[in-house]
Amino acid sequence: MIRYFTAGESHGPALSAIVEGMPAGVPITLEEINRQLTRRQQGHGRGGRMKIESDQAEVLSGIRFGKTIGSPISLLIKNRDWENWTTSMAQFEKPDQECAKITIPRPGHADLAGRIKYDFDDIRPVIERSSARETAARVAAGTVARVFLKALGIEIGSYISAIGSAAEPSPDEKLAALLHEGAEAVALQADLSPVRMLGKATEAQALSAIDAASEKGDTLGGIIEIFITGVPPGFGSYVQHDRRLDAALAAAIISIQAIKGVEIGTAFENAGKPGSQVHDEFHLSAEDGVSRKTNRAGGLEGSMSSGQTIHLRAAMKPISSLLTPLRSFDVETLRPTPSRFERSDTCAVPAAGVVAEAVLAPVIANALLEKLGGDHLNEIRQRLDLYREYIRNTFQS
Ligand code: EPS
C-alpha cells in the first residue's frame, strides 16, 4: 500500500516528500512531475510568492533508469524564497537582532489554535507549516501515483465551476464529451483558462470578480469539480468503515488547506428529492452489458466504485489572509487589534483543483492495490485486465 509524508516550512530551504509502497516498473519522468508542479502555480489571482518560485522537483531515491524500483521515492522541491528568510527561519542560530515576533492571529487560519496547542510565543512556526505551500510536495508525491494509475487506464481531472458568485451551470454535453476521452481531457481543457473554467461567460465574470476582490484587499473561494475515469466496479468495500472508498476520497479532499466541504455526485441536490428521482437505474443490453443513463451517485455506491465516473465536488473557502484586516487581538497584550497581513493570494481555487487531482491518486491506487495486490506494474496490469474481462463476461450475453 502507498503511504506518503511531506515535510518543509513555507519559507524554509525546501519541501520534501517520501512516497513508500509504489510498485516497481512504473515509468516516471521528471517532466511530468514538474508539469504538475507548474500547473499548481497557475491561475488568475495568485500572489507575489508565485512570481518568486518556479517549482521543480529533484528525485533523491526510488527511481532508476526512469522507472520505479519499489523502494521509497524521495522528492525535494527547493524554496527560492529561502534566501530571503535565512535569518528569521534559521534552523540553529537565533539572530542577534530580534526577529519580528508574530502575536496577532489571523481569523480563519491555524494561527490561534496552533499557538495555543504548541505553546509558541511566536505564531511564525504555525504560519510556516500550515501554509498551502505544502501542497507543492503533495502534488509531486501524488503525481507518482497518478502516473501509475494512468498506465492502467485510470485518469483524474478537474475543472472549476464557481469562483465567488461567478458560477457555471453544468456544461453537460461538453463535459460528457471530455469525460468520454478520459478525465485528463477535462483537466487539459480547464488548463486553457486562467481560472480553469470550461465556459467563457463565467470565466469573464470570475476574472473580474477576482480583480475586484484584489482591489478591495479581499479574497475569494469557489467550487472544484473532480472526476476519476476508468475505475472498475468494486474498489473499496462496504464491510468496514475504514475500507469505504467514498470516505477515503472525501478525507483526502478535506485534507487540502482551505477546503471546507465535499460532495459526492449531486448529494446535496439528491437530499431534497424522492428516491425515484435520485437512484441511477440499471439498463441491460447485449452490447454494453449493464449501463446507466444518469450518475447522480457520483460513481460510488455502497462505498465502492460503481464503474461509472467518480465525481466529487469540493468547496474552498476564501483565503484567510486579507489585505483589509479583520478584527483580531494581540495574544500578549490581550488588546483588540486589526489582524496583520501576511502576503497571500486573492484566489487559489484553480491551483486547489490541481492539488485535489494529486491527493486522490494515492487513494485510488491503494484501493486498486487492496483489490488486486501486486508489486510490479506488469503483474498488476495483468490482474486488472483479468478483472475487467471477468466483469465484461459476467454481464454481456
Ligand atoms: C503558497 C505559498 C504561500 C502563499 C499561499 C500558497 O507563500 P507566501 O506565504 O510566501 O506568500 O502564497 O499560502 C496561503 C495563502 C496560505 O494561507 O497558506 C503556495 O506555494 O501555494
Side-chain angles (χ1 to χ4, degrees):
M1 302 296 275
I2 297 167
R3 296 175 294 162
Y4 72 100
F5 286 100
T6 70
E9 277 74 44
S10 180
H11 305 104
L15 299 162
S16 61
I18 293 186
V19 187
E20 209 272 322
M22 266 295 294
V26 180
I28 306 278
T29 64
L30 205 49
E31 287 73 29
E32 181 56 12
I33 298 173
N34 289 338
R35 185 179 77 86
Q36 296 294 349
L37 288 174
T38 303
R39 290 179 71 221
R40 194 203 71 92
Q41 289 198 265
Q42 307 307 307
H44 192 67
R46 302 230 58 193
R49 180 72 182 271
M50 290 304 102
K51 294 190 180 79
I52 300 172
E53 303 297 341
S54 171
D55 293 336
Q56 303 269 295
E58 286 171 42
V59 175
L60 304 182
S61 71
I63 294 176
R64 184 165 187 253
F65 305 147
K67 284 190 178 168
T68 56
I69 52 174
S71 49
I73 298 166
S74 37
L75 301 152
L76 188 83
I77 303 158
K78 288 189 177 135
N79 286 322
R80 285 194 178 175
D81 204 16
W82 160 241
E83 65 183 47
N84 303 314
W85 291 77
T86 48
T87 307
S88 46
M89 285 302 290
Q91 285 103 342
F92 300 107
E93 283 99 55
K94 201 160 183 217
D96 294 338
Q97 78 276 24
E98 193 62 27
C99 291
K101 204 161 77 170
I102 296 172
T103 56
I104 304 164
R106 294 163 299 170
H109 249 293
D111 299 6
L112 181 60
R115 149 75 177 75
I116 295 168
K117 179 179 173 67
Y118 293 103
D119 195 19
F120 295 130
D121 65 347
D122 179 359
I123 295 170
R124 170 56 56 199
V126 181
I127 296 172
E128 288 294 321
R129 183 60 190 161
S130 63
S131 165
R133 173 112 194 100
E134 182 265 345
T135 59
R138 283 206 262 177
V139 166
T143 300
V144 176
R146 194 173 177 168
V147 171
F148 165 57
L149 292 175
K150 178 91 187 283
L152 298 166
I154 297 172
E155 296 184 18
I156 308 176
S158 70
Y159 78 92
I160 306 307
S161 60
I163 286 181
S165 60
E168 192 156 60
S170 178
D172 287 337
E173 271 174 38
K174 189 174 181 177
L175 188 60
L178 291 167
L179 286 171
H180 188 71
E181 285 177 51
E184 273 200 13
V186 178
L188 288 173
Q189 181 68 38
D191 287 351
L192 301 176
S193 156
V195 279
R196 307 200 63 245
M197 285 181 154
L198 297 182
K200 282 284 158 204
T202 332
E203 175 189 290
Q205 285 168 26
L207 289 171
S208 47
I210 293 169
D211 290 342
S214 174
E215 251 166 61
K216 279 193 243 148
D218 215 331
T219 58
L220 287 177
I223 305 219
I224 305 158
E225 313 279 335
I226 314 131
F227 302 92
I228 312 172
T229 51
V231 179
F235 282 12
S237 180
Y238 56 89
V239 302
Q240 198 59 262
H241 62 92
D242 61 352
R243 294 178 60 192
R244 292 182 180 270
L245 183 60
D246 47 7
L249 293 167
I253 293 287
I254 288 285
S255 78
I256 302 168
Q257 291 83 337
I259 302 293
K260 300 294 277 185
V262 63
E263 181 179 12
I264 296 171
T266 50
F268 287 91
E269 204 183 306
N270 295 351
K273 288 180 177 173
S276 54
Q277 288 171 38
V278 168
H279 301 296
D280 306 302
E281 291 179 293
F282 297 116
H283 297 270
L284 274 176
S285 78
E287 255 170 49
D288 301 328
V290 187
S291 67
R292 325 269 190 123
K293 292 194 184 347
T294 54
N295 184 17
R296 299 182 196 102
L300 290 153
E301 281 176 331
S303 293
M304 296 171 291
S305 54
S306 68
Q308 288 190 280
T309 296
I310 294 177
H311 176 205
L312 302 152
R313 305 177 85 220
M316 184 180 196
K317 69 178 177 179
I319 285 168
S320 319
S321 301
L322 307 189
L323 195 53
T324 309
L326 295 173
R327 214 171 293 165
S328 184
F329 70 105
D330 189 311
V331 292
E332 283 190 350
T333 64
L334 296 184
R335 283 210 191 93
T337 167
S339 177
R340 49 176 292 284
F341 176 65
E342 177 90 13
R343 175 183 61 194
S344 187
D345 305 308
T346 304
C347 175
V349 181
V354 177
V355 178
E357 294 170 11
V359 299
L360 292 178
V363 178
I364 295 292
N366 278 339
L368 183 146
L369 290 170
E370 186 195 42
K371 178 80 186 81
L372 303 168
D375 296 291
H376 189 282
L377 178 63
N378 291 343
E379 179 187 27
I380 297 163
R381 187 183 280 126
Q382 278 171 18
R383 292 177 186 189
L384 184 58
D385 286 348
L386 270 179
Y387 185 54
R388 285 184 170 135
E389 199 183 309
Y390 145 76
I391 295 164
R392 259 194 314 275
N393 292 344
T394 310
F395 299 112
Q396 264 164 331
S397 44

